[in-house]
Amino acid sequence: MTLLQERFAEVGPINAMEAQLARAAVAARGRLDQRDETAIRYALSLCRCWHVRAPDGRDVAVAALLRPFREKLVQVLWPLLDPQRPVLAEPHELLPAARAAGAIARNAVRELSEKLGHRLPADRLDLEVRERHLVLVCGGGGGTGYVHLAAYALLEAAGLQPALIAGSSMGAILGLFRARERRFDLARIPEILQDLTYRKIFRIIPQPSTYGLPGPLRLHLRSAIGHWFRHPDGSPLRMSDLPIPLLVTVTGIRRGKLPRPLEEYEAMLGVADPDPGRWGLRALHRNVQRLTAAISELARIPRLTARLVFGASEETRQCDAIDAAGFSASVPGVIHYDIVRDDPRMRDLLDGLLQRHDLLRLCDGGVVDNVPVRTAWQHVQRSGLPGSGSRNAVIFALDGFAPRLMTPLWLPLQSIAAPAVARNRPYAHIYKAFRRTLSPLALLPNQRALGTIIRSAKEELLSDLPALQRLLAPIGPLPS
């Protein structure tokens, strides 16, 4: 077990209880006394702390001092806020627990002040405990990912701006569009899609495979949407330039581990028609079984794949943002993304990454991490949120590719991704699996289909929004 896994084993129950408390407070419809709710929220937020950023920029370790208080708090609150509890806790049940939680928090603050006050001022600790930050995780799945746009619009309307976005595959591309501006304007999306065609995005022409895993469809993301990700002087936006920090997961294929020759992936779908607009849907439907077999190999062979997270290190933050999203969306045996332009800087960056990680090629981030919740949580724990250094994050995860019996064609592929998603789910405060989505093949939906699915997704999200707002509301001062 890694150190971060050990950490989550301790603080995971705190995350789960925070989410349950938010749901209970919403269900109480004002019957839960604000002082009681504040006492419990403050105690949970405090006891979840592991490192706190001091005014001098250094992290102060508080986990060991808080451990006995954390254990007491879990003993007091878990019977009431266990996610498996059949019914939500009622306000009268939470009253004595709130008093006990407040006492635990006051004792913990006193202990931290006595032992660490010279390094960690009380006001800095209080700020870390009381300010919440939204981390948004966007899953992959081709056209199913357009449900993310509904979440962007609802969060914008509610005044909830992400402090960090993490995405895989289509979630990386849509996350990139969200990260390019502080404010989100849903009206811009149809304008962007209207200007796109399959011929602009995909081509079937010979192209060398240098960094990407081959496939018959060449993804020309830069020529299709690259103008949205340039500085005024024409230079490309790097990950470090995005107004909202973005993490993009990419799958690395280890050297000597690939189960079939590279050229076999390129011929997997047997594509002959040079017009992607004509053959795309029919060819993919005919070959879903082959595609499933190829991705299953990559996902299940031990130590075949490695997870790379662009945006998590200073080196990968210098990657062109559109290249990170392109590699993350390159489906094995179907879509090939690569650096074919003359770009020594990006080539040096990728050569270094592949050499250090002993990798042969890069492909779809969804192979190893389709809904990268744990990736986001681990990044926040290691580095703190950009700017503030805070680790007080509320993680909201969106999954449009969860297995659904009503889409039997895609169930095998969804089932491949499902185990990793299930392992990631506990790291999210709220995980949303959408019941209705577009087809994974609907990469360029018309405006009517897009509008319909966004309205449907908004309706699905409305039940989760009140709890999310409660989780993200600033926590009041600890009641005396």
Side-chain angles (χ1 to χ4, degrees):
M1 184 179 287
T2 67
L3 291 176
L4 282 176
Q5 287 173 327
E6 291 178 2
R7 184 182 306 185
F8 187 75
E10 286 198 43
V11 302
I14 303 288
N15 288 356
M17 290 191 290
E18 284 182 323
Q20 282 299 98
L21 176 63
R23 295 185 184 99
V26 171
R29 299 178 182 273
R31 292 181 293 118
L32 178 59
D33 186 83
Q34 186 175 357
R35 287 172 55 85
D36 293 341
E37 183 183 359
T38 297
I40 297 175
R41 290 187 70 203
Y42 194 104
L44 287 169
S45 186
L46 172 66
C47 289
R48 186 171 23 80
C49 290
W50 206 270
H51 294 98
V52 179
R53 189 70 48 87
D56 62 3
R58 299 181 181 180
D59 286 332
V60 179
V62 298
L65 288 176
L66 286 175
R67 185 166 289 118
F69 300 100
R70 181 162 48 244
E71 292 171 352
K72 289 179 184 176
L73 188 67
V74 170
Q75 290 174 2
V76 168
L77 293 180
W78 188 257
L80 298 171
L81 299 177
D82 179 354
Q84 302 302 317
R85 197 175 192 259
V87 294
L88 292 171
E90 290 289 338
H92 68 273
E93 296 178 282
L94 291 170
L95 174 59
R99 291 174 178 168
I104 291 170
R106 285 188 289 273
N107 290 335
V109 169
R110 189 178 306 114
E111 179 81 2
L112 289 174
S113 178
E114 291 174 359
K115 301 290 178 60
L116 297 174
H118 61 292
R119 297 178 57 201
L120 184 64
D123 60 341
R124 181 54 66 102
L125 174 66
D126 193 56
L127 182 68
E128 170 66 14
V129 170
R130 294 172 58 189
E131 283 197 357
R132 315 303 305 273
H133 305 273
L134 173 62
V135 172
L136 187 61
V137 178
C138 304
T144 67
Y146 281 107
V147 292
H148 302 336
L149 299 177
Y152 299 168
L154 278 180
L155 293 172
E156 182 69 26
L160 303 176
Q161 186 178 98
L164 176 71
I165 300 172
S168 280
S169 197
M170 188 61 158
I173 293 177
L174 293 174
L176 179 57
F177 272 101
R178 178 62 191 91
R180 66 184 287 271
E181 292 180 332
R182 289 282 180 188
R183 304 294 299 274
F184 178 72
D185 184 1
L186 183 60
R188 301 288 296 277
I189 300 300
E191 173 191 344
I192 294 168
L193 288 174
Q194 193 171 14
D195 187 46
L196 297 177
T197 65
Y198 281 98
R199 291 182 185 89
K200 283 187 178 181
I201 297 178
F202 299 115
R203 299 176 191 172
I204 307 175
I205 56 175
Q207 175 177 300
S209 167
T210 306
Y211 303 106
L213 192 66
L217 275 179
R218 273 68 180 192
L219 178 60
H220 284 252
L221 207 58
R222 184 177 292 267
S223 61
I225 61 173
H227 57 284
W228 293 98
F229 302 99
R230 293 191 188 123
H231 290 290
D233 64 0
S235 61
L237 279 175
R238 301 182 187 184
M239 300 287 285
S240 59
D241 299 326
L242 295 170
I244 299 177
L246 176 67
L247 304 178
V248 171
T249 57
V250 175
T251 297
I253 307 298
R254 298 187 191 277
R255 294 185 186 278
K257 300 287 186 178
L258 204 61
R260 58 180 78 200
L262 279 173
E263 57 271 15
E264 193 170 324
Y265 289 93
E266 193 159 3
M268 187 170 291
L269 297 188
V271 173
D273 192 327
D275 184 354
R278 293 180 57 191
W279 68 261
L281 299 183
R282 293 197 301 274
L284 285 179
H285 272 292
R286 288 196 304 268
N287 290 280
V288 165
Q289 190 171 3
R290 291 186 193 177
L291 175 61
T292 301
I295 294 180
S296 179
E297 285 177 343
L298 300 182
R300 293 176 180 171
I301 294 178
R303 295 192 56 76
L304 167 63
T305 59
R307 181 184 59 182
L308 297 181
V309 185
F310 284 76
S313 65
E314 184 54 40
E315 178 185 26
T316 57
R317 279 193 285 271
Q318 299 312 309
C319 176
D320 288 1
I322 203 162
D323 287 331
F327 283 117
S328 186
S330 55
V331 181
V334 180
I335 297 173
H336 175 211
Y337 186 85
D338 228 309
I339 306 295
V340 295
R341 63 191 185 275
D342 183 18
D343 191 339
R345 186 188 65 82
M346 274 302 302
R347 288 177 176 271
D348 287 346
L349 189 153
L350 292 172
D351 286 339
L353 276 178
L354 266 59
Q355 183 177 1
R356 273 190 299 282
H357 294 275
D358 195 28
L359 300 177
L360 175 68
R361 291 291 189 275
L362 305 175
C363 69
D364 192 339
V367 172
V368 292
D369 205 1
N370 199 50
V371 187
V373 188
R374 182 171 56 177
T375 293
W377 183 85
Q378 289 177 340
H379 177 74
V380 172
Q381 293 303 309
R382 287 192 186 104
S383 308
L385 289 165
S388 67
S390 174
R391 294 173 171 85
N392 193 349
V394 174
I395 301 182
F396 184 31
L398 308 170
D399 185 4
F401 202 58
R404 300 191 302 276
L405 294 177
M406 66 183 70
T407 57
L409 178 68
W410 301 104
L411 193 58
L413 273 175
Q414 292 167 335
S415 299
I416 293 171
V421 174
R423 290 191 294 271
N424 280 356
R425 280 186 64 169
Y427 291 82
H429 285 84
I430 298 179
Y431 163 84
K432 182 65 179 181
F434 290 87
R435 296 187 299 274
R436 290 188 59 197
T437 67
L438 295 175
S439 163
L441 299 180
L443 301 180
L444 295 177
N446 60 49
Q447 292 195 24
R448 181 178 178 183
L450 183 65
T452 298
I453 203 62
I454 288 176
R455 286 192 296 273
S456 170
K458 281 183 177 179
E459 291 174 3
E460 290 193 45
L461 285 165
L462 284 175
S463 60
D464 296 293
L465 189 59
L468 182 64
Q469 290 175 303
R470 206 89 178 198
L471 281 164
L472 287 166
I475 300 173
L478 179 62
S480 56

